[in-house]
Amino acid sequence: MNTNTGKVTLLSAGPGELDLLTLKAAKALAAADVVLLDDLANPDIVTLAPQARVIRVGKRGGCRSTPQAFIERMMRRYALKGLHVVRVKGGEALLFGRAGEELAALREAGVAVEIVNGISSGFAAAAGLGISLTHRRHCHGVSFVTAHTEDHGEPDWAALAATRTTLAIYMGMRRIGKIADALLASLPADTPAAVVQWAGGADERRLLTRLDRLADDAMKAGFESPAVILVGSAIGESVERVWGDGDANRDASPATHAGELLTDAAIAHAA
């Protein structure tokens, strides 16, 4: 290792709100010379790095994005100049954030790397719904999965359904219909499902429904990326929380009650 080089911190910015950052993340930002800012991170995060040069390196599905190879070259170049580079990633850096490629490129160049963990949007979505992703009454685990593979193919939805785990599906809104149809081949139509947009942020929106109505309900309600899709019987606990027995507001408008948007199907599930 070249001890005269700087270093790169792969920093997890969490789902949006700055108060969800770890103290370790705040310290890394305060010490940064260069910040490479992901498009999904809260842009106000740069206020925690007052001395740093900020370079925006947005990567969004379906949008013009900064090439990954270019990002890796910038990290190497600045670190080899002796600077502390903080690569800010939305959510958890090690989950669907291409951290593996960046780690390999930096290690090959002899650059020291530090990883700062954070809250993934899947966990933030579960918190917003008030559920456990691994409620032992319903499942024995959770599967985090991206909706498309590196070659733009589809995951093995039948195999994922067979795990009987809660499915937390990332980057799936553009193909939510195909996902629902594929899962319906293996799961019951009334399997609880949810979509949480901007999970953990001030603009968070939540949709509770069932698998056979997932795509239609999400489309009608105007849900779009960035959002997490959750599927599994554990999701039904959120319906019970909002419309549980003895709820005096059970006849209130679903669109406004407790900040949730429940469909007729979800209400029927809890009845």
Side-chain angles (χ1 to χ4, degrees), residues 132-189:
S132 167
L133 295 174
T134 57
H135 195 309
R136 64 180 183 176
R137 185 191 305 165
H138 300 282
C139 62
H140 60 268
V142 56
S143 297
F144 296 96
V145 59
T146 177
H148 53 83
T149 59
E150 185 177 19
D151 60 0
H152 303 291
E154 293 281 337
D156 189 339
W157 295 113
L160 287 165
T163 65
R164 300 298 175 181
T165 60
T166 301
L167 301 181
I169 304 168
Y170 290 64
M171 295 170 278
M173 292 306 294
R174 295 180 65 189
R175 54 182 73 185
I176 190 170
K178 290 183 178 180
I179 293 169
D181 287 344
L183 290 174
L184 282 167
S186 303
L187 295 175

Side-chain angles (χ1 to χ4, degrees), residues 6 18 30 36 65 69 94-95 97 105 108 131 146 149 153 166 176 189 264 271:
L18 296 186
L36 302 183
S65 299
L94 302 183
L95 194 62
E108 183 179 355
I131 60 169
T146 177
T149 59
T166 301
I176 190 170
D264 293 338

Side-chain angles (χ1 to χ4, degrees), residues 108-122:
E108 183 179 355
V111 174
V113 185
E114 179 183 29
I115 300 170
V116 177
N117 296 117
I119 298 174
S120 174
S121 57

Side-chain angles (χ1 to χ4, degrees), residues 39-226:
D39 198 37
L40 287 176
N42 185 334
D44 291 338
I45 198 171
V46 299
T47 62
L48 301 177
Q51 301 180 18
R53 176 185 178 183
V54 178
I55 304 172
R56 301 183 185 278
V57 289
K59 295 182 73 64
R60 292 283 295 274
C63 303
R64 185 175 181 180
S65 299
T66 306
Q68 182 66 27
F70 180 72
I71 295 172
E72 292 168 9
R73 286 198 300 272
M74 280 198 296
M75 287 192 292
R76 289 196 302 265
R77 184 178 69 198
Y78 286 120
L80 291 170
K81 287 182 178 180
L83 301 177
H84 179 193
V85 181
V86 175
R87 167 76 163 110
V88 177
K89 294 173 173 288
E92 162 55 50
L94 302 183
L95 194 62
F96 306 128
R98 303 186 76 167
E101 298 162 57
E102 295 176 1
L103 286 167
L106 293 168
R107 288 166 177 164
E108 183 179 355
V111 174
V113 185
E114 179 183 29
I115 300 170
V116 177
N117 296 117
I119 298 174
S120 174
S121 57
F123 292 110
L129 293 168
I131 60 169
S132 167
L133 295 174
T134 57
H135 195 309
R136 64 180 183 176
R137 185 191 305 165
H138 300 282
C139 62
H140 60 268
V142 56
S143 297
F144 296 96
V145 59
T146 177
H148 53 83
T149 59
E150 185 177 19
D151 60 0
H152 303 291
E154 293 281 337
D156 189 339
W157 295 113
L160 287 165
T163 65
R164 300 298 175 181
T165 60
T166 301
L167 301 181
I169 304 168
Y170 290 64
M171 295 170 278
M173 292 306 294
R174 295 180 65 189
R175 54 182 73 185
I176 190 170
K178 290 183 178 180
I179 293 169
D181 287 344
L183 290 174
L184 282 167
S186 303
L187 295 175
D190 63 352
T191 301
V195 179
V196 182
Q197 183 178 358
W198 291 111
D203 298 325
E204 179 178 295
R205 299 178 66 211
R206 312 177 199 114
L207 168 71
L208 288 164
T209 184
R210 46 187 271 171
L211 186 55
D212 61 347
R213 293 183 53 170
L214 174 63
D216 287 343
D217 287 341
M219 184 179 300
K220 289 176 183 176
F223 278 73
E224 56 187 21
S225 296

